[in-house]
Amino acid sequence: MVAAGVHRPGPLKQQNKAHKGGKHSGASQRRVGGRVSVKAQPRRRLRDLSRVDRRHQALQLRRQSKEAVLAEKRSLGSRDGPPHLVVLVPLHSRAAAHDTLRLLQSQDSVVVRGDEGKAGGFALLCPRLKQRWRFATAEAGDLHTVLDLAKVADSLLFILDSADGWDSAGEHCLSCLFAQGLPSYALAVPGGTDLPPKKRIEARRKLAKAIEKRFPEAKLFPLSTEQESSLLLRHLATQKQRHLAFRDRRAHLLAYSAEFVPGQESDLVGTLKVSGFVRGQSLDVNSLVHIVGHGDFQMSQVDSPPDPLSLNPRVVKGAKRSQDMEVQDDSVNGMCEMEEDIKILMKADPNKQESLQSEVVPDPMEGEQTWPTEEELQEAEASLKENRRVVKVPKGTSKYQAAWIVDDEEDNQEDDDDDDDDIDDDMMEEAVSQEGDSAEEEEESAEEECETMTVSECLRDDQYDEKVEEDEQMLERYKQERMDEMFPDEIDTPRDVPARVRFQKYRGLKSFRTSPWDPKENLPRDYARIFQFQDFSRTRKHLFRQIEKGETEGASVGWYVTLHICNVPVSVMESFKEGKPLVLFSLLPHEQKMSVLNFLVRRHPSNSEPVKAKEELIFHCGFRRFRASPLFSQHTSADKHKLERFLRPDAALVVTVYAPITFPPASVLLFKQRSNGMHDLIATGSLLSVDPDRIVIKRLVLSGHPFKIFTKMAVVRYMFFNREDVMWFKPVDLRTKWGRRGHIKEPLGTHGHMKCHFDGQLKSQDTVLLNLYKRVYPKWTYDPHVPEPVPWVQSESTLPLQEVEME
């Protein structure tokens, strides 16, 4: 029985919809009870991790990276790894390296061994600490030696002067090393003990302030006693190693000893047996090897001789210690090597060996096609009759270029709605005829002005010879660079040659940014000799992925091997005997083939001399050294890039050359050789891409002056000098320096005057411009043999020019 007064809902009670909480993460988690599907777990694993799990994962990653760094430190210089290679670089003429070497050799309980064929090189073995070092010396003025040793060095030891730090030669050396890539380094200051204690502290404080900008967070190590030298060695052994990308992905070694076996056909070419420790990656006998400064070669065999720098050497009975230092001669090592047989690790397989072919042999019949059928010929004739258009083009013009030439009928179909277009043409001709005499006089004066401009060109091109002094040539280059800055790409229209003939390879573009340009059109014959990737980035990622996985087979890192290199000229062995370092790098697949390389560089602030495009420069790209004549172009994200005639000091430019393929990242240094043999650093940067389809466009600007100005019409002169040139360039749009746009309506008279229409009234001070474009390509001047530069200190002296060249 229901109590009285209680309300009971009737059949018409409002029923609200239940709340749908399925889209909320909280409701979904409560609904599924924490269960996650197997397929969705890998994708959302990082997102679904709790805060405790994320902290634990970060802790594991930090621990793994720390263990990797410690493992690298332990392996370097240990029994299983290569010796710790330290290169001494004196940065001042008063900083003597032999005092530092003598201090390092005077360590207690170490074994000192000298290198074969290397002046001043030696090795330190410390069995108690289970460490071994190898030291080499490179003078700051010897540019090639410093850069070659820095490519393979584990650590650089800079020797500074206690008062000045480094001189001008040391500054030049540091600039090159920083641009190439600096490995781990340390700063040592020998001497200074003859100064009083107060002056010694003051000199140390002054030197620390001087190096603060160049070497931030660097520590100065005094080097006057044996205890200080032991502290320096400990620092070199325990500091974190800095990696260089171009060497970590390739096997490389510094020659410890070398032997040349002449060939049967000639004594000038033979087999070079190079012994050293493998670094970087595993070395495969079937890959190619690059000897820095000498070229690419093949290997026939890899041997495993006994390690000459073993931490547990065999000591001959009767050998005595002298001054707590054990010295073993090469004769003892020779006896040890006689006792053990040399093992052959690998022999080259002709089926798997990389080829030395660097260029494509073009086939002149490659572009030929089979004869078409009759049906195809009939269809082609029918389509030509429908779309045939007769256009007058210069000789050698392609179909793609002819498509840009607009007919007169198409140009006449434009509708001009402005009132200014109703101006009578008779009034225009009358205005021209009234000024006929004055126009002829002005044309003659303009002709004289043009002749004076062309005389300077003729003087520069025809009358300059070897007897002209270097100062006059430099002055002429400064003038050209200044004129290019003031009037970019502007040239004078020739008077002796018709403009339609002189500029027949150029074309006009409606828009430089959006107008299409076929990258495969009218390619030069040199493009038939190069290689091109279908997808360069994909090939690079595939190779680097194989290197990371360690799929390459061969001699492992740290092994002491002997490489048998085939067909090596005897000059390589001669340079090694002279004391030059012999540095070898293994090549990745395709790195011996020629292609078009693009470098992104910036002008070095230490050099301000003008550098013109297509001028021969010296490139240090990664582990390569070569000479080439590059192009300079703007660095933009568009599909076309404007040519720069000079290397700009205020912007990053792209340098394009023909060179062997190199997979980035790789640093690049550009040098220019002086007449006295010294190399000046002019630009630094990195490898941007390997892309023959990068379009570099040269722009020419023809200028004219408004003669009669109406509201939106004007008579322009001095751009052309005959009626036919005006008709030829009629389809190309015009612009002015003050931002007006226009086009040519028709020629007036026979002396190159033309009636032009613009989108606004011109000013009398304005200049009318016509832009023409042409694709350009670099010159094939690649030369892998770069002459040794004159030492930097010697070139600064006042030696006569002939005397330096003879040396």
Side-chain angles (χ1 to χ4, degrees):
M1 185 174 181
V2 181
V6 177
H7 175 72
R8 300 178 64 182
L12 300 178
K13 179 182 180 297
Q14 178 180 356
Q15 297 289 338
N16 295 328
K17 290 183 179 180
H19 178 66
K20 295 181 179 179
K23 295 183 179 179
H24 297 277
S25 60
S28 62
Q29 291 179 2
R30 289 192 299 269
R31 189 182 307 112
V32 300
R35 296 187 300 272
V36 182
S37 60
V38 179
K39 293 184 179 180
Q41 185 175 0
R43 295 181 182 179
R44 302 183 59 185
R45 180 168 48 191
L46 296 177
R47 191 182 304 172
D48 294 339
L49 286 177
S50 63
R51 182 167 58 182
V52 177
D53 293 337
R54 288 196 299 269
R55 287 182 177 178
H56 183 62
Q57 187 181 28
L59 179 62
Q60 288 180 335
L61 292 177
R62 287 197 302 269
R63 189 174 297 167
Q64 289 176 3
S65 61
K66 186 177 180 180
E67 290 177 356
V69 172
L70 291 176
E72 183 182 9
K73 290 181 180 179
R74 295 190 187 103
S75 62
L76 184 62
S78 63
R79 183 184 59 182
D80 299 330
H84 193 138
L85 179 57
V86 181
V87 177
L88 278 72
V89 183
L91 296 181
H92 200 281
S93 58
R94 293 196 299 266
H98 59 272
D99 296 337
T100 305
L101 296 177
R102 185 171 63 253
L103 275 176
L104 293 174
Q105 293 178 7
S106 62
Q107 296 294 315
D108 188 15
S109 68
V110 296
V111 181
V112 182
R113 294 182 182 175
D115 286 2
E116 300 177 9
K118 272 290 292 160
F122 68 94
L124 287 183
L125 305 179
C126 185
R128 183 174 61 84
L129 299 177
K130 298 181 179 180
Q131 287 286 327
R132 50 182 180 172
W133 291 271
R134 185 182 174 192
F135 291 87
T137 307
E139 294 295 333
D142 194 351
L143 182 63
H144 283 183
T145 301
V146 172
L147 294 180
D148 290 349
L149 288 176
K151 290 180 174 69
V152 293
D154 296 317
S155 300
L156 294 180
L157 180 57
F158 294 116
I159 311 299
L160 308 179
D161 181 58
S162 58
D164 299 333
W166 56 83
D167 53 7
S168 57
E171 177 67 26
H172 182 255
C173 176
L174 288 177
S175 300
C176 298
L177 288 176
F178 273 89
Q180 177 181 264
L182 194 65
S184 303
Y185 63 90
L187 305 177
V189 183
T193 55
D194 52 344
L195 297 176
K198 291 186 178 180
K199 291 187 178 181
R200 192 184 311 170
I201 296 175
E202 184 180 356
R204 185 65 53 80
R205 186 183 298 112
K206 183 179 178 181
L207 183 59
K209 187 177 181 180
I211 69 172
E212 184 177 358
K213 183 178 180 180
R214 177 67 86 169
F215 300 98
E217 301 179 0
K219 182 181 178 182
L220 279 174
F221 286 87
L223 205 61
S224 302
T225 61
E226 296 181 6
Q227 184 179 4
E228 292 174 345
S229 63
S230 62
L231 291 176
L232 177 60
L233 281 179
R234 184 176 295 275
H235 172 73
L236 291 174
T238 57
Q239 68 176 349
K240 184 178 179 180
Q241 294 297 312
R242 303 177 65 179
H243 295 275
L244 301 180
F246 73 89
R247 76 177 184 184
D248 288 343
R249 292 190 174 98
R250 299 169 179 86
H252 56 276
L253 60 88
L254 175 64
Y256 183 80
S257 62
E259 180 186 357
F260 183 78
V261 179
Q264 298 179 357
E265 299 179 357
S266 174
D267 295 339
L268 301 178
V269 179
T271 301
L272 183 66
K273 298 180 181 180
V274 180
S275 300
F277 293 90
V278 180
R279 301 170 184 271
Q281 296 290 333
S282 299
L283 180 62
D284 187 9
V285 68
N286 294 318
S287 63
L288 299 180
V289 64
H290 176 79
I291 302 178
V292 177
H294 299 282
D296 304 334
F297 303 95
Q298 287 181 332
M299 293 181 289
S300 61
Q301 183 177 322
V302 177
D303 298 339
S304 177
D307 190 351
L309 302 180
S310 176
L311 287 174
N312 298 318
R314 299 181 181 179
V315 184
V316 181
K317 295 181 179 180
K320 298 181 179 179
R321 292 177 53 85
S322 175
Q323 297 180 357
D324 297 332
M325 179 176 62
E326 184 177 352
V327 180
Q328 287 195 349
D329 298 329
D330 294 337
S331 59
V332 179
N333 296 333
M335 295 177 61
C336 297
E337 292 180 3
M338 292 295 291
E339 296 177 2
E340 301 182 12
D341 296 332
I342 298 177
K343 300 178 182 179
I344 299 177
L345 291 179
M346 296 171 289
K347 285 192 176 182
D349 187 359
N351 299 326
K352 298 180 180 180
Q353 198 170 22
E354 290 282 346
S355 173
L356 281 173
Q357 181 184 3
S358 61
E359 301 178 13
V360 179
V361 180
D363 186 6
M365 303 298 293
E366 186 177 1
E368 296 294 329
Q369 300 179 355
T370 57
W371 188 257
T373 61
E374 295 180 359
E375 297 178 356
E376 294 175 348
L377 289 175
Q378 293 176 359
E379 293 177 0
E381 290 178 359
S383 61
L384 286 175
K385 289 180 181 179
E386 294 177 359
N387 301 322
R388 182 168 295 174
R389 181 167 64 94
V390 180
V391 180
K392 185 179 179 181
V393 296
K395 187 176 180 181
T397 306
S398 66
K399 295 180 180 179
Y400 181 79
Q401 291 171 327
W404 286 93
I405 301 177
V406 186
D407 291 341
D408 296 337
E409 298 177 357
E410 297 179 2
D411 187 64
N412 293 331
Q413 290 177 359
E414 296 179 355
D415 296 334
D416 299 332
D417 298 334
D418 299 327
D419 297 335
D420 303 309
D421 294 345
D422 297 333
I423 297 177
D424 193 9
D425 295 338
D426 296 336
M427 185 178 65
M428 302 276 296
E429 295 177 358
E430 182 180 357
V432 175
S433 62
Q434 290 177 357
E435 302 290 338
D437 298 336
S438 61
E440 292 180 358
E441 294 177 0
E442 292 178 356
E443 287 177 2
E444 292 178 359
S445 62
E447 182 178 357
E448 292 177 0
E449 293 177 1
C450 294
E451 287 178 357
T452 56
M453 293 297 292
T454 53
V455 165
S456 63
E457 293 286 334
C458 296
L459 285 174
R460 187 185 69 242
D461 294 338
D462 301 333
Q463 298 180 6
Y464 267 50
D465 51 15
E466 296 179 356
K467 297 182 180 180
V468 178
E469 297 180 359
E470 186 178 358
D471 294 341
E472 296 182 1
Q473 295 179 355
M474 190 60 63
L475 178 62
E476 185 68 23
R477 289 186 180 181
Y478 276 116
K479 289 182 179 180
Q480 294 177 11
E481 187 179 24
R482 180 62 178 168
M483 290 297 295
D484 187 64
E485 291 179 0
M486 296 174 60
F487 307 100
D489 302 325
E490 289 191 33
I491 64 169
D492 295 330
T493 306
R495 301 294 302 273
D496 53 347
V497 180
R500 62 186 182 277
V501 177
R502 169 64 179 84
F503 306 120
Q504 62 181 345
K505 294 183 180 180
Y506 291 81
R507 70 182 67 166
L509 295 179
K510 186 73 175 178
S511 172
F512 182 80
R513 184 179 62 87
T514 60
S515 298
W517 197 300
D518 187 6
K520 302 296 183 183
E521 173 208 358
N522 289 345
L523 296 177
R525 295 189 62 87
D526 290 337
Y527 264 52
R529 303 165 58 186
I530 65 174
F531 291 84
Q532 183 176 4
F533 292 95
Q534 187 176 3
D535 191 343
F536 177 74
S537 61
R538 184 178 62 183
T539 305
R540 173 177 170 271
K541 290 180 181 178
H542 176 67
L543 289 176
F544 288 178
R545 197 177 298 116
Q546 289 182 347
I547 294 174
E548 292 175 0
K549 292 180 180 178
E551 297 179 1
T552 56
E553 298 180 355
S556 300
V557 178
W559 289 7
Y560 184 77
V561 296
T562 299
L563 309 181
H564 295 248
I565 307 174
C566 306
N567 300 324
V568 180
V570 70
S571 59
V572 181
M573 188 63 191
E574 292 175 354
S575 66
F576 181 71
K577 290 181 179 179
E578 292 175 358
K580 301 294 181 181
L582 192 59
V583 179
L584 286 79
F585 276 84
S586 67
L587 299 182
L588 299 178
H590 314 296
E591 284 196 329
Q592 79 279 10
K593 301 173 182 177
M594 296 291 292
S595 187
V596 179
L597 271 63
N598 302 306
F599 306 98
L600 180 61
V601 302
R602 186 176 289 273
R603 189 70 180 264
H604 197 266
S606 64
N607 189 278
S608 60
E609 296 181 359
V611 180
K612 200 172 182 180
K614 294 186 178 180
E615 188 176 354
E616 186 180 74
L617 300 178
I618 297 173
F619 289 76
H620 287 244
C621 174
F623 54 88
R624 289 188 185 274
R625 220 171 28 231
F626 58 88
R627 292 186 292 179
S629 300
L631 291 179
F632 304 142
S633 60
Q634 294 180 353
H635 178 50
T636 61
S637 58
D639 59 344
K640 297 180 290 295
H641 311 273
K642 194 179 88 65
L643 175 75
E644 292 288 347
R645 288 176 168 81
F646 290 90
L647 186 61
R648 301 295 181 187
D650 54 349
L653 297 181
V654 176
V655 177
T656 303
V657 292
Y658 291 110
I661 294 171
T662 304
F663 289 99
S667 59
V668 61
L669 287 77
L670 269 66
F671 292 89
K672 184 178 178 181
Q673 185 172 359
R674 289 186 182 180
S675 57
N676 58 1
M678 193 189 77
H679 292 178
D680 288 339
L681 179 64
I682 62 172
T684 60
S686 60
L687 177 60
L688 180 64
S689 63
V690 180
D691 185 13
D693 288 342
R694 190 178 189 275
I695 301 176
V696 180
I697 302 296
K698 180 181 180 181
R699 184 182 72 173
L700 289 185
V701 179
L702 304 181
S703 59
H705 300 277
F707 176 49
K708 289 293 182 181
I709 300 175
F710 300 91
T711 307
K712 288 191 177 181
M713 301 289 292
V715 177
V716 180
R717 61 180 179 179
Y718 301 151
M719 183 176 289
F720 303 108
F721 299 98
N722 57 73
R723 186 182 183 91
E724 290 77 11
D725 287 345
V726 177
M727 295 298 297
W728 180 260
F729 291 99
K730 185 179 178 180
V732 184
D733 292 342
L734 301 176
R735 68 179 181 90
T736 69
K737 289 190 175 181
W738 288 10
R740 296 299 181 187
R741 297 284 178 174
H743 60 274
I744 302 173
K745 292 293 292 183
E746 59 182 357
L748 296 177
T750 60
H751 293 282
H753 289 213
M754 55 188 182
K755 182 173 65 175
C756 304
H757 174 267
F758 295 92
D759 58 357
Q761 187 173 8
L762 298 185
K763 302 293 184 181
S764 59
Q765 301 90 350
D766 205 351
T767 304
V768 182
L769 305 176
L770 184 142
N771 294 339
L772 298 175
Y773 302 94
K774 180 185 72 171
R775 185 179 179 184
V776 291
Y777 305 89
K779 291 183 178 180
W780 192 292
T781 56
Y782 171 77
D783 185 7
H785 304 290
V786 178
E788 289 288 337
V790 174
W792 207 86
V793 178
Q794 179 183 351
S795 63
E796 291 293 312
S797 62
T798 57
L799 291 177
L801 182 61
Q802 296 180 358
E803 196 171 337
V804 175
E805 290 179 351
M806 291 178 61
E807 290 179 1

PDB file of all heavy atoms in Angstrom, residues 544-552:
ATOM      1  N   PHE A 544      74.637   3.900 -45.158  1.00  0.00           N
ATOM      2  CA  PHE A 544      74.911   4.220 -43.756  1.00  0.00           C
ATOM      3  C   PHE A 544      74.220   3.231 -42.816  1.00  0.00           C
ATOM      4  O   PHE A 544      74.738   2.929 -41.735  1.00  0.00           O
ATOM      5  CB  PHE A 544      74.458   5.636 -43.449  1.00  0.00           C
ATOM      6  CG  PHE A 544      75.347   6.687 -44.061  1.00  0.00           C
ATOM      7  CD1 PHE A 544      75.051   8.046 -43.922  1.00  0.00           C
ATOM      8  CD2 PHE A 544      76.482   6.340 -44.781  1.00  0.00           C
ATOM      9  CE1 PHE A 544      75.872   9.005 -44.480  1.00  0.00           C
ATOM     10  CE2 PHE A 544      77.296   7.305 -45.341  1.00  0.00           C
ATOM     11  CZ  PHE A 544      76.994   8.630 -45.191  1.00  0.00           C
ATOM     12  N   ARG A 545      73.070   2.718 -43.220  1.00  0.00           N
ATOM     13  CA  ARG A 545      72.387   1.722 -42.390  1.00  0.00           C
ATOM     14  C   ARG A 545      73.206   0.424 -42.335  1.00  0.00           C
ATOM     15  O   ARG A 545      73.288  -0.231 -41.288  1.00  0.00           O
ATOM     16  CB  ARG A 545      70.995   1.459 -42.948  1.00  0.00           C
ATOM     17  CG  ARG A 545      70.056   0.778 -41.955  1.00  0.00           C
ATOM     18  CD  ARG A 545      68.662   0.601 -42.529  1.00  0.00           C
ATOM     19  NE  ARG A 545      68.051   1.886 -42.827  1.00  0.00           N
ATOM     20  CZ  ARG A 545      67.732   2.282 -44.049  1.00  0.00           C
ATOM     21  NH1 ARG A 545      68.001   1.507 -45.090  1.00  0.00           N
ATOM     22  NH2 ARG A 545      67.153   3.452 -44.228  1.00  0.00           N
ATOM     23  N   GLN A 546      73.817   0.048 -43.469  1.00  0.00           N
ATOM     24  CA  GLN A 546      74.676  -1.139 -43.461  1.00  0.00           C
ATOM     25  C   GLN A 546      75.906  -0.934 -42.575  1.00  0.00           C
ATOM     26  O   GLN A 546      76.345  -1.869 -41.892  1.00  0.00           O
ATOM     27  CB  GLN A 546      75.109  -1.465 -44.895  1.00  0.00           C
ATOM     28  CG  GLN A 546      73.993  -2.008 -45.770  1.00  0.00           C
ATOM     29  CD  GLN A 546      74.491  -2.352 -47.160  1.00  0.00           C
ATOM     30  OE1 GLN A 546      75.600  -1.959 -47.543  1.00  0.00           O
ATOM     31  NE2 GLN A 546      73.695  -3.073 -47.918  1.00  0.00           N
ATOM     32  N   ILE A 547      76.449   0.286 -42.590  1.00  0.00           N
ATOM     33  CA  ILE A 547      77.618   0.550 -41.749  1.00  0.00           C
ATOM     34  C   ILE A 547      77.246   0.480 -40.276  1.00  0.00           C
ATOM     35  O   ILE A 547      77.994  -0.062 -39.445  1.00  0.00           O
ATOM     36  CB  ILE A 547      78.205   1.928 -42.110  1.00  0.00           C
ATOM     37  CG1 ILE A 547      78.763   1.900 -43.539  1.00  0.00           C
ATOM     38  CG2 ILE A 547      79.302   2.327 -41.130  1.00  0.00           C
ATOM     39  CD1 ILE A 547      79.232   3.256 -44.025  1.00  0.00           C
ATOM     40  N   GLU A 548      76.094   1.018 -39.894  1.00  0.00           N
ATOM     41  CA  GLU A 548      75.667   0.980 -38.493  1.00  0.00           C
ATOM     42  C   GLU A 548      75.407  -0.445 -38.012  1.00  0.00           C
ATOM     43  O   GLU A 548      75.671  -0.785 -36.863  1.00  0.00           O
ATOM     44  CB  GLU A 548      74.418   1.831 -38.317  1.00  0.00           C
ATOM     45  CG  GLU A 548      74.652   3.318 -38.502  1.00  0.00           C
ATOM     46  CD  GLU A 548      73.361   4.112 -38.426  1.00  0.00           C
ATOM     47  OE1 GLU A 548      72.301   3.468 -38.233  1.00  0.00           O
ATOM     48  OE2 GLU A 548      73.407   5.351 -38.545  1.00  0.00           O
ATOM     49  N   LYS A 549      74.897  -1.286 -38.904  1.00  0.00           N
ATOM     50  CA  LYS A 549      74.642  -2.668 -38.523  1.00  0.00           C
ATOM     51  C   LYS A 549      75.921  -3.503 -38.463  1.00  0.00           C
ATOM     52  O   LYS A 549      75.900  -4.610 -37.911  1.00  0.00           O
ATOM     53  CB  LYS A 549      73.668  -3.305 -39.516  1.00  0.00           C
ATOM     54  CG  LYS A 549      72.255  -2.731 -39.449  1.00  0.00           C
ATOM     55  CD  LYS A 549      71.357  -3.424 -40.460  1.00  0.00           C
ATOM     56  CE  LYS A 549      69.935  -2.860 -40.412  1.00  0.00           C
ATOM     57  NZ  LYS A 549      69.052  -3.499 -41.431  1.00  0.00           N
ATOM     58  N   GLY A 550      77.013  -2.988 -39.038  1.00  0.00           N
ATOM     59  CA  GLY A 550      78.271  -3.741 -39.023  1.00  0.00           C
ATOM     60  C   GLY A 550      78.264  -4.927 -39.952  1.00  0.00           C
ATOM     61  O   GLY A 550      78.808  -5.984 -39.624  1.00  0.00           O
ATOM     62  N   GLU A 551      77.639  -4.771 -41.132  1.00  0.00           N
ATOM     63  CA  GLU A 551      77.541  -5.883 -42.061  1.00  0.00           C
ATOM     64  C   GLU A 551      78.793  -6.066 -42.908  1.00  0.00           C
ATOM     65  O   GLU A 551      78.918  -7.068 -43.602  1.00  0.00           O
ATOM     66  CB  GLU A 551      76.330  -5.667 -42.985  1.00  0.00           C
ATOM     67  CG  GLU A 551      74.990  -5.634 -42.247  1.00  0.00           C
ATOM     68  CD  GLU A 551      73.825  -5.391 -43.178  1.00  0.00           C
ATOM     69  OE1 GLU A 551      74.089  -5.269 -44.412  1.00  0.00           O
ATOM     70  OE2 GLU A 551      72.679  -5.361 -42.715  1.00  0.00           O
ATOM     71  N   THR A 552      79.716  -5.095 -42.887  1.00  0.00           N
ATOM     72  CA  THR A 552      80.922  -5.220 -43.692  1.00  0.00           C
ATOM     73  C   THR A 552      81.888  -6.217 -43.050  1.00  0.00           C
ATOM     74  O   THR A 552      82.043  -6.270 -41.832  1.00  0.00           O
ATOM     75  CB  THR A 552      81.619  -3.852 -43.823  1.00  0.00           C
ATOM     76  OG1 THR A 552      81.893  -3.343 -42.512  1.00  0.00           O
ATOM     77  CG2 THR A 552      80.718  -2.876 -44.564  1.00  0.00           C
TER      78      THR A 552
END
